[in-house]
Amino acid sequence: VGGLTAGNSPDNHDQILATGNVSLDGRLVISFPNDYAPALGESFLLIANNGDNAISGTFTGLPEGSLLPINDRLFSVSYIGGTGNDLTVTRIGTVFDVTNAKQNGIGSLRKALDNANSTVGVDLIRILTPGVLSVTPSWGLPDIAESVSIDGTAVAGYAGVPLFEIR
C-alpha cells in the first residue's frame, strides 16, 4: 500500500477487481513501501467485488472487524466494506509495544499506556517480551483514557495460556 488510490505506481495500492464469486483463505500480508504512513480514517479498497454475492471465507485469524496491526499502525478489516461486499482495510489507531518489565521508559507498559492516552483512535498495546512478563508497578499505572486493547498473544511461546500479568 503506497497511497489512497488504486493503481500501478509506487504511490498507489493494489486492488483486485472481481466480477464473479470471491472466496478467501490464507494470510493477508500488507506492506507500506516508501515510508507511506496512512492517516487515521484512511481506507483502502483491496478487493472491489463487482458481483452480487458476498465475499466467502476470511483471511486466517481475521474475521469481520478484526484488528490488524501493521508496524506501528492499527487497521480494521472488513469483508462488507465499500458497496457492502468488498474487502477494505481502514486505519483506526496506533500500536505500542511492551518489550521489557521496567517501571518506566521506552518499551515499558507505563510508556505504552501513556502513549495510547496521548493519541487519537483505537490503540493496541502488544506484549512482545519473551517468556512470562510480570509487571509489578511501584506506583499506580496511568488511567486508560480511551479505547485500548492489550494483546498478549504476540509473545514468543504463547500457546493459549496468558504470559502477561500485572500484580
Side-chain angles (χ1 to χ4, degrees):
V1 175
L4 283 175
T5 307
N8 295 323
S9 82
D11 295 331
N12 297 138
H13 68 271
D14 293 334
Q15 183 181 80
I16 296 171
L17 301 175
T19 53
N21 292 331
V22 177
S23 179
L24 300 177
D25 191 15
R27 288 184 49 216
L28 173 62
V29 177
I30 297 175
S31 61
F32 296 99
N34 305 321
D35 295 323
Y36 177 65
L40 281 175
E42 288 186 346
S43 188
F44 305 92
L45 180 63
L46 300 181
I47 298 177
N49 183 359
N50 295 322
D52 294 330
N53 295 336
I55 292 175
S56 67
T58 63
F59 288 108
T60 303
L62 295 173
E64 172 64 28
S66 289
L67 299 180
L68 175 63
I70 303 173
N71 301 326
D72 64 345
R73 300 168 196 103
L74 185 62
F75 295 83
S76 176
V77 177
S78 179
Y79 304 95
I80 56 172
T83 59
N85 63 350
D86 301 321
L87 172 66
T88 58
V89 176
T90 304
R91 166 103 191 268
I92 61 169
T94 306
V95 177
F96 301 101
D97 293 333
V98 175
T99 58
N100 63 62
K102 293 180 182 176
Q103 293 290 320
N104 212 352
I106 295 171
S108 71
L109 178 59
R110 180 178 310 282
K111 183 66 172 173
L113 288 167
D114 284 341
N115 288 340
N117 282 336
S118 68
T119 61
V120 177
V122 175
D123 296 311
L124 174 68
I125 296 175
R126 287 188 298 197
I127 310 300
L128 298 179
T129 58
V132 176
L133 173 65
S134 181
V135 176
T136 308
S138 299
W139 64 95
L141 290 170
D143 291 336
I144 296 173
E146 64 175 23
S147 180
V148 62
S149 294
I150 299 177
D151 178 11
T153 64
V155 176
Y158 174 78
V161 177
L163 299 174
F164 169 70
E165 64 182 8
I166 300 174
R167 295 180 181 215

